[in-house]
């Protein structure tokens, strides 16, 4: 692929739309995982209650259950994708803004209901945003477009995770939440400004067709055996990586670092390598293809797990000894390399999901595939604490590395190095 072709792939309107969809998708998610817990804790809510709030994120995992409804039905005027996008974004603005109108001390159930609404409307928005992005991107731009999406998704977390927290020291919480909600207007303006993508097929005639046909098409296209291998790969590719980072903050604390150290180093050493990795990973996908990048980026993901192991070996026996001062540069290197792997792996995996999705059934198939990749994160987060307590940090990271291998081995079947990109 020529340099001119890459330039054309980067500098076009589709990439701007991908950035807009990433911002729209990430904002409400980070409200739930960063802003709401900080608000609840600052208002004196106990940690056990705050922990239960994590269960309100289940709609992200189960969104494929109602995705056929969004494929079958459409709002008038704006079209099948843009109509659902606009409605979900307006509902998100209302729910996010309304959060600060209630007191955590007296209305915790109402706040939980609003958070569940944010999660449901956000997951529903993701269904149509993913479908929209798949339908506007030609196959050769899937990697780059989805890397722009993933980077904008992460950077959007600076609004609720940084700006809103700073504002909370100067404004009342009800004002903070409405200011945060107002940033969703960027998504609304994007929805109104873009064109409805051209759909290669008419809407399903019945709800049954919307539910059944995407599965029939996927298994017919791949064959049952290969289709199951593809689904297993989606589940396993980031299993070890997700598991290694599930308890990252408690791990850094156990290694002797202060919360200030973690806040300063992790914020900078984590965000920007992930963003840079995602961007240059997207460019590399344009040049050499999804298959080769799945191999290369998978190896980077695998090796990054050993950084945690090295940190554990260096710091583990010294924590608590007089005069021990853990190395900040080592922490920064470990976090930067890990999140470089996160950025690369996420970009290529999303591109793989998009390539695997048929444009005839975009919303339902993409929702199912993306939910499948989130399942390991949900499952391992519940078990990692027990594993660490029973085997220690070093052995835990060895287990994470071992669990990363099956996903890599499946590449021989679903994305061989010399493949032409049609295996999935």
């Amino acid at each position: 692929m020529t340099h001119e072709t890459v330039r054309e792939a980067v500098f076009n309107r589709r990439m701007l739309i991908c950035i807009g969809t990433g911002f729209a998708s990430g904002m409400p998610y980070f409200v739930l995982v960063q802003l709401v817990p900080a608000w609840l804790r600052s208002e004196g809510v106990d940690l056990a209650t705050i922990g239960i709030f994590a269960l309100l994120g289940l709609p992200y995992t189960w969104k494929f259950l109602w995705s056929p409804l969004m494929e079958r039905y459409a709002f008038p005027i704006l079209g099948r994708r843009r109509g659902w996008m606009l409605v979900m974004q307006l509902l998100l603005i209302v729910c996010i803004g309304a959060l600060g109108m209630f007191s955590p001390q007296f209305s915790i159930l109402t706040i939980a209901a609003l958070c569940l609404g944010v999660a449901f409307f956000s997951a529903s928005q993701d269904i149509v945003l993913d479908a929209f992005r798949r339908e506007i991107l030609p196959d050769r731009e899937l990697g780059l477009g989805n890397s722009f999406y993933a980077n904008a998704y992460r950077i959007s977390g600076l609004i609720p995770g940084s700006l809103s927290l700073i504002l909370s020291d100067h404004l009342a919480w009800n004002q903070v939440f409405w200011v945060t909600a107002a940033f969703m207007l960027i998504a609304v303006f994007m929805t109104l400004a873009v064109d409805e993508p051209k759909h290669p097929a008419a809407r399903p005639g019945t709800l049954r067709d919307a539910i059944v046909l995407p599965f029939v098409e996927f298994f017919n296209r791949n064959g049952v055996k290969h289709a199951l291998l593809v689904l297993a790969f989606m589940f396993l590719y980031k299993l070890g990586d997700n598991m290694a980072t599930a308890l990252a903050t408690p791990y850094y604390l156990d290694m002797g670092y202060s919360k200030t150290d973690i806040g300063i180093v992790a914020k900078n050493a984590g965000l920007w390598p992930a963003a840079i990795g995602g961007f240059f990973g997207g460019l590399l996908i344009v040049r050499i293809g999804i298959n080769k990048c799945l191999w290369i980026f998978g190896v980077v993901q695998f090796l990054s797990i050993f950084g945690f192991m090295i940190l554990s070996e260096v710091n583990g026996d010294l924590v608590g000894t007089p005069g021990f001062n853990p190395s900040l540069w080592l922490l920064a290197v470990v976090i930067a390399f890990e999140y470089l792997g996160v950025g690369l792996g996420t970009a290529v995996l999303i591109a793989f999901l998009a390539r695997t999705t048929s444009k005839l059934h975009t919303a339902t198939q993409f929702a199912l595939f993306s939910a499948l990749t989130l399942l390991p994160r949900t499952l391992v987060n519940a078990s990692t604490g027990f594993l660490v307590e029973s085997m220690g940090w070093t052995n835990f990271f060895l287990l994470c590395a071992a669990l990363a291998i099956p996903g890599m081995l499946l590449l021989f079947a679903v994305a061989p190095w010399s493949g032409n990109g049609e295996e999935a």
Side-chain angles (χ1 to χ4, degrees):
M1 184 168 290
T2 66
H3 180 70
E4 183 65 28
T5 305
V6 172
R7 186 186 303 136
E8 291 171 356
V10 173
F11 297 103
N12 63 59
R13 190 166 182 263
R14 292 182 294 276
M15 296 301 119
L16 288 176
I17 295 173
C18 289
I19 293 171
T21 63
F23 184 89
S25 181
M27 261 288 298
Y29 173 77
F30 288 111
V31 166
L32 291 176
V33 301
Q34 293 184 338
L35 183 58
V36 168
W39 170 48
L40 295 179
R41 190 58 178 160
S42 71
E43 295 295 306
V45 177
D46 61 272
L47 291 174
T49 301
I50 295 173
I52 293 173
F53 265 67
L55 295 175
L56 300 177
L58 285 174
Y60 290 101
T61 303
W62 297 102
K63 62 187 178 182
F64 65 91
L65 293 177
W66 61 91
S67 59
L69 291 170
M70 308 180 83
E71 194 77 271
R72 169 66 182 88
Y73 301 105
F75 290 95
I77 302 176
L78 288 180
R80 196 192 319 181
R81 305 299 181 219
R82 294 170 67 230
W84 281 108
M85 285 160 57
L86 181 63
V87 170
M88 294 302 111
Q89 288 157 3
L90 294 175
L91 289 170
L92 282 168
I93 290 172
V94 172
C95 286
I96 294 172
L99 278 169
M101 299 172 65
F102 299 92
S103 167
Q105 296 296 333
F106 304 104
S107 306
I108 194 69
L109 291 179
T110 303
I111 291 170
L114 284 171
C115 287
L116 182 60
V118 172
F120 179 79
F121 298 135
S122 175
S124 301
Q125 181 196 217
D126 287 351
I127 293 171
V128 282
L129 288 178
D130 289 342
F132 183 90
R133 205 169 54 253
R134 175 64 181 106
E135 289 166 349
I136 67 169
L137 289 174
D139 286 354
R140 68 183 182 86
E141 293 179 6
L142 286 175
L144 189 60
N146 283 292
S147 72
F148 280 158
Y149 157 82
N151 283 346
Y153 185 100
R154 292 187 196 93
I155 292 172
S156 70
L158 294 175
I159 304 300
S162 182
L163 176 62
S164 298
L165 293 178
I166 294 171
L167 289 176
S168 68
D169 282 336
H170 307 281
L171 302 174
W173 276 108
N174 66 322
Q175 295 173 301
V176 170
F177 276 101
W178 280 114
V179 170
T180 305
F183 278 91
M184 282 301 297
L185 290 173
I186 296 173
V188 171
F189 294 146
M190 178 202 70
T191 299
L192 296 175
V194 299
D195 298 322
E196 178 73 5
K198 294 181 179 179
H199 305 289
R203 283 188 293 125
T206 65
L207 184 57
R208 181 184 181 277
D209 286 346
I211 296 171
V212 174
L213 292 181
F215 292 92
V216 172
E217 189 279 336
F218 175 67
F219 281 96
N220 284 344
R221 170 162 47 100
N222 293 277
V224 173
K225 180 181 178 181
H226 190 72
L228 292 175
L229 289 174
V230 171
L231 295 176
F233 168 75
M234 292 175 181
F235 181 86
L236 293 170
Y237 185 64
K238 290 186 69 67
L239 175 60
D241 188 57
N242 285 334
M243 195 168 176
T245 57
L247 293 174
T249 300
Y251 167 65
Y252 302 143
L253 291 170
D254 282 1
M255 293 301 103
Y257 296 99
S258 69
K259 291 189 284 290
T260 300
D261 293 337
I262 297 167
I264 294 174
V265 176
K267 201 74 172 181
N268 292 287
L271 176 65
W272 301 114
I276 293 169
F279 176 72
F280 286 103
L283 288 178
L284 192 59
I285 294 170
V286 172
R287 294 193 67 87
I288 68 174
I290 292 174
N291 282 24
K292 289 184 174 65
C293 286
L294 282 167
W295 284 88
I296 296 170
F297 300 168
V299 170
V300 175
Q301 277 186 166
F302 175 73
L303 294 177
S304 70
I305 297 173
F306 290 91
F308 289 113
M309 195 184 310
I310 293 171
L311 186 64
S312 175
E313 287 294 292
V314 171
N315 287 14
D317 294 334
L318 298 175
V319 174
T321 59
F324 173 61
N325 187 23
S327 169
L328 290 181
W329 73 262
L330 181 59
L331 176 66
V333 169
V334 169
I335 292 176
F337 189 49
E338 166 61 27
Y339 278 89
L340 175 65
V342 167
L344 293 172
T346 300
V348 73
L349 182 60
I350 296 175
F352 177 82
L353 300 185
R355 187 182 73 184
T356 308
T357 301
S358 167
K359 287 189 177 183
L360 298 174
H361 309 285
T362 320
T364 300
Q365 287 188 358
F366 209 127
L368 176 63
F369 297 153
S370 59
L372 189 61
T373 64
L374 291 175
L375 263 182
R377 186 185 308 172
T378 304
L379 296 175
V380 300
N381 281 357
S383 63
T384 47
F386 299 102
L387 291 171
V388 172
E389 288 183 354
S390 64
M391 63 176 58
W393 284 112
T394 298
N395 289 331
F396 169 72
F397 292 124
L398 275 173
L399 175 63
C400 294
L403 291 175
I405 294 174
M408 291 296 296
L409 293 177
L410 283 171
L411 284 171
F412 286 103
V414 303
W417 178 269
S418 59
N420 61 9
E422 301 300 325
E423 294 75 13

